Amino acid sequence: MILIGERINAGFSDVEQALEEKDPEEIRSLARRQTEAGADYLDINMGAVSKDPDDMVWLVETVQETVDTPLSIDSQRADIIEPALEACKSNPLINSTTAQDEKLGNLLPLAVEHDASIIGITSGKEGAPQDVNGRLEHAAKIFTKANEYGLDVDNLFIDPVAMPLKFMQEQASNLLKSISQISNISDPPPHISLGISNMSSDATEKSLINRTFLVMAMAVGLDAAICNVFDDKLIKSVATAEMIMNEGIYNDSFLETYRMS
Amino acid sequence: MILIGERINAGFSDVEQALEEKDPEEIRSLARRQTEAGADYLDINMGAVSKDPDDMVWLVETVQETVDTPLSIDSQRADIIEPALEACKSNPLINSTTAQDEKLGNLLPLAVEHDASIIGITSGKEGAPQDVNGRLEHAAKIFTKANEYGLDVDNLFIDPVAMPLKFMQEQASNLLKSISQISNISDPPPHISLGISNMSSDATEKSLINRTFLVMAMAVGLDAAICNVFDDKLIKSVATAEMIMNEGIYNDSFLETYRMS
């Protein structure tokens, strides 16, 4: 399972403040702690705080002063993404393109040029469809375009869009069906990723909903997640699901040794 | 989700003692508490303690003095099952037949005659196969024979056999694939059931393994489980998975109101 730590996001007030004041300590701390918690990538998101490419580069460089964990550049703007990719020391992830022609045409070549991975979300001009077929059409388009641009399938992540259980309950089962079908789009399939925390927006039992949904999604083909790696119960659930999926060799201490490499 | 409470089983020392001494109190208490915890059926298993049909009838009658929860008669012997079925006040479940001709020929007619449901485990003369195809062959045979004997598909449960993660780790993913494929055997499909506690035999993290596997299995089609309904974390996971599968209407208090009808 590929875990993408969600926490360096200026939607959180500590990161907003650190970004505004160019104070590196909180950023470094979040980078180090998420890495220790097992993150395979660290997502870097400036939210609504800044649209300045230099700020993204500052975040990338600040993180890289502390850890060498690969980064997920969370933006859909090429002018922000490109300098950030150039600043990355190890192969990054672009988070994200939609299925719109213009975005695909701008961002897929960037991914190929920088040997980056890229997340394609199943969303188009009209927004993100809620049904299975709509998600699959966008997934197929992203997959086809990625091939045309010469992106290695192992560098492609499809994100079929998690929607809040509280407000759109029927979406969760659609999403599970979509994951199952996207995992059959090719052999080997692209990675399939989700922003897990969306699932529990405004719900009371956030952690329980997130971890339950995450392992259910793993059972049908999800192999990547943007999530809160500080949620110990979530990480334990993922560790157990990996044992169940026969990824890693079971031993009675699997929780203690999980991601301690 | 159909939950079958596993606890009235003479493999547990309290039940063994109660059965030997014909002391009804512990049996009644387990029946009442499992029902309150949300069990849809109560499994009644004499283990190795007794092969006396009268003892099974005593257990059935003792439980029915306290609750009217349907019972799961846990035996493969027609001489034990038949009088127990006759003693049952509401439609029971026979747990179980294998895919062997003789068992199917003895037990399927009993189920039809008593309007009982029956669990067919994917096991034959050579034992329970570990691969997906072996499980499917047995499932198809049980399904076909059940049809021939006139059993309603809604009364058929297929159990593709949970094996301990600790000792047969690769079996868990085989099992998930088997569940997914058995759920496509017909439309509507038969119920698919498992003895969940087998998954964590001799493991350190029993509850975590059980609940993680259970919701993963629900994602691919499991709709029944013999399990420890006293495991509060397991029940909360099932409640959450049911919300995710759009079974029941989400509200922020779903954990508090779950199975409180």
Side-chain angles (χ1 to χ4, degrees), chain B residues 132-169:
Chain B
V132 176
N133 284 342
R135 285 176 163 103
L136 285 174
E137 279 171 28
H138 286 314
K141 181 177 173 186
I142 294 164
F143 181 80
T144 304
K145 286 285 178 187
N147 266 338
E148 285 175 16
Y149 280 102
L151 189 82
D152 193 295
V153 68
D154 193 48
N155 284 345
L156 180 63
F157 292 61
I158 303 282
D159 180 334
V161 187
M163 299 176 183
L165 187 66
K166 176 165 180 168
F167 303 114
M168 307 173 81
Q169 191 186 348

